[in-house]
Amino acid sequence: MNMLKEKLDRALEWVCFGLFVVLVATVAWQVFTRQILNSPSSWSEELAKYVFVWLGLFGAALVFGERGHIAVDFLVRRLPAAPQKAVGMLSHVLVLAFTALVLVYGGSSIASLAWEQTIPALPVSAGQMYLAIPVSGVLTLFYCAHHLVEIGAGRMDPLEAEQAEAL
């Protein structure tokens, strides 16, 4: 499972990098056509909005996989090891339930409802663009399940490693 996670991490890093490059190029084109050519591009603003959303969702899944998300755990860190493990497992179960319900189920529902809705400026449907929601949800579910297994087996700290504060 660890090798699969590492490969998924690398693939997701490349996807996020690619999306960022597309976002920068699209916004640069938009600025160029608006400011230099005085003829704004009809598609660049729409594409930039959707690419930004995809980047945010996939980036959030990647950060969750790396356990880099925000955690307020100063009280939990004062507990003994067994309650820390229980709280760590419970928080991942809650994230798993939320992700399954909201991102995967809700995202799939909204994508299917909007599948036939066209985006005038782009050659794809709104439903295709909304697929980022359930796809990022599935990625987050995988990472969450991986963390649960690793925490349960004692191979992973139930709480994220403390980061040294930069001055």
Side-chain angles (χ1 to χ4, degrees):
M1 190 173 203
N2 283 331
M3 189 163 43
L4 177 62
K5 181 192 176 295
E6 288 175 18
K7 289 182 188 248
L8 185 60
D9 287 346
R10 297 301 79 75
L12 205 48
E13 286 172 359
W14 279 104
V15 167
C16 288
F17 175 76
L19 286 169
F20 187 73
V21 168
V22 170
L23 179 63
V24 169
T26 303
V27 171
W29 177 253
Q30 183 179 19
V31 169
F32 176 76
T33 59
R34 184 179 309 252
Q35 299 297 323
I36 305 299
L37 302 178
N38 283 333
S39 178
S41 170
S42 61
W43 55 268
S44 58
E45 184 177 349
E46 285 295 315
L47 182 62
K49 285 191 285 190
Y50 284 110
V51 169
F52 184 71
V53 169
W54 277 65
L55 180 60
L57 289 168
F58 289 155
L62 179 61
V63 168
F64 186 81
E66 294 175 349
R67 299 184 79 192
H69 56 283
I70 296 173
V72 181
D73 58 4
F74 62 92
L75 291 177
V76 178
R77 287 195 179 280
R78 299 189 192 293
L79 296 173
Q84 275 189 13
K85 184 175 182 178
V87 170
M89 299 271 297
L90 176 64
S91 68
H92 277 80
V93 167
L94 292 173
V95 168
L96 189 120
F98 176 83
T99 301
L101 181 65
V102 174
L103 292 179
V104 176
Y105 176 74
S108 298
S109 298
I110 193 72
S112 68
L113 284 172
W115 197 259
E116 299 299 322
Q117 182 182 357
T118 61
I119 301 171
L122 299 175
V124 295
S125 74
Q128 291 168 320
M129 297 307 275
Y130 291 160
L131 279 178
I133 301 168
V135 170
S136 69
V138 168
L139 293 169
T140 303
L141 284 178
F142 170 79
Y143 285 129
C144 199
H146 176 265
H147 293 160
L148 278 169
V149 168
E150 294 295 308
I151 291 169
R155 293 186 295 259
M156 183 182 281
D157 186 8
L159 304 174
E160 288 77 19
E162 288 187 86
Q163 300 285 328
E165 290 186 23
L167 296 177

